[in-house]
Amino acid sequence: MARKKLIAGNWKMNGLTADGTALAKGIASEVKALGKVQCEFLVCPPFTLLAAVKKALRGAKVALGGQDCHFENKGAHTGDISPLMLTDLGCSYVILGHSERRADHGESNELVCKKAVAAHQAGLKTVICIGETLAQRDAGQTIDVCSRQILGSVPESATSANTVIAYEPVWAIGTGKTPTAQDVEEVHAAVRKVLAQKLGRGNASKMRILYGGSVKPSNAAEFLSLPDVDGALIGGASLKVEDFMAIAKNSGC
Ligand code: PGA
């Protein structure tokens, strides 16, 4: 069965009400204009914009996601957002284990895994991020690191229906640098093998594995035409309607 490509925007800590709403409205009208599309669209704004973006997306086939969540649904966790709060605001997805969370907030594979279980219980689909640092790549550890992250961060509750993997080499995020297409395909194929060991061949063959890290309109076609690349997680270029939509169009959506 063909895997439907997922074009996902990770807005990170960007956008105030006016520009976030305008961005969402722009994406909504472009996606509507595309008519019947081959891809699934997702935007993940900061928590503060979720309600406004939900409204701005009304009527457009664009899913809404959070960028993180806690592993509990309520309680004494100052500053945190729960999976239920995300579904309450209309989210169907949540990004977990992004390298910026792993680096800035010391998130471990174990924590990401716990969050994923809670997110699945709340009915959210998870986009679980993995990827090596430059030092790990230079030491030839890319596949090892990614395999360990998959084994540690992806819970037993993961299925092809509730989980998407995003391979994002840390050194490619926001830098304009990217691996070669061959490198990306090699990692994605290896990740799919590890997923098969962990979750069974059926789930692994249907699970979407996104590439992320300096995806732009000019390189989208190259990456998204690879056999094991099932979409993109887009940071910087998701903040401009034209770029986000050009990536989708160049990917055959
Ligand atoms: P980038 O970010 O597209 O700006 O490199 C990707 C990401 O971190 O998800």
Side-chain angles (χ1 to χ4, degrees):
M1 198 190 73
R3 298 179 292 263
K4 194 173 200 177
K5 286 200 168 69
L6 176 62
I7 305 297
N10 173 11
W11 295 6
K12 308 192 180 185
M13 197 174 71
N14 292 295
L16 302 180
T17 310
D19 42 329
T21 306
L23 176 57
K25 279 190 177 155
I27 291 168
S29 77
E30 292 274 329
V31 171
K32 280 185 201 161
L34 284 178
K36 204 169 152 44
V37 284
Q38 311 293 327
C39 300
E40 187 182 350
F41 287 89
L42 165 67
V43 292
C44 301
F47 297 131
T48 49
L49 291 180
L50 285 171
V53 167
K54 175 78 190 163
K55 211 168 144 197
L57 292 175
R58 192 174 295 155
K61 281 210 166 108
V62 181
L64 185 67
Q67 298 173 14
D68 177 48
C69 68
H70 198 272
F71 57 81
E72 284 186 9
N73 276 324
K74 61 176 181 166
H77 300 287
T78 303
D80 278 313
I81 298 289
S82 83
L84 266 188
M85 290 170 175
L86 293 180
T87 55
D88 186 43
L89 281 177
C91 290
S92 52
Y93 278 89
V94 63
I95 298 172
L96 293 175
H98 190 281
S99 63
E100 287 151 14
R101 303 255 357 140
R102 292 180 189 261
D104 297 354
H105 300 272
E107 293 196 8
S108 62
N109 288 330
E110 293 69 28
L111 180 61
V112 175
C113 187
K114 255 176 116 169
K115 290 181 175 198
V117 170
H120 292 157
Q121 277 168 359
L124 290 167
K125 295 175 199 164
T126 52
V127 178
I128 300 179
C129 303
I130 58 164
E132 83 287 359
T133 63
L134 190 55
Q136 290 165 333
R137 161 157 295 236
D138 288 345
Q141 297 167 345
T142 300
I143 305 267
D144 264 13
V145 169
C146 292
S147 302
R148 261 186 281 127
Q149 287 175 326
I150 291 285
L151 293 172
S153 314
V154 176
E156 303 294 330
S157 58
T159 65
S160 57
N162 68 17
T163 301
V164 175
I165 305 297
Y167 168 55
E168 300 201 304
V170 178
W171 53 273
I173 294 176
T175 59
K177 294 188 190 130
T178 56
T180 64
Q182 196 186 335
D183 287 344
V184 171
E185 176 55 25
E186 196 180 304
V187 176
H188 280 229
V191 164
R192 204 176 294 286
K193 257 197 195 154
V194 179
L195 288 169
Q197 285 161 20
K198 188 173 170 103
L199 305 171
R201 295 247 309 263
N203 274 318
S205 65
K206 284 185 261 163
M207 192 170 284
R208 290 174 294 181
I209 307 175
L210 314 183
Y211 169 73
S214 296
V215 175
K216 305 182 277 226
S218 59
N219 62 20
E222 190 185 10
F223 291 126
L224 278 90
S225 61
L226 296 167
D228 282 295
V229 176
D230 309 308
L233 182 56
I234 308 150
S238 74
L239 298 172
K240 283 199 188 131
V241 179
E242 312 78 65
D243 287 354
F244 187 65
M245 294 310 298
I247 288 169
K249 285 175 194 160
N250 295 350
S251 308
C253 293

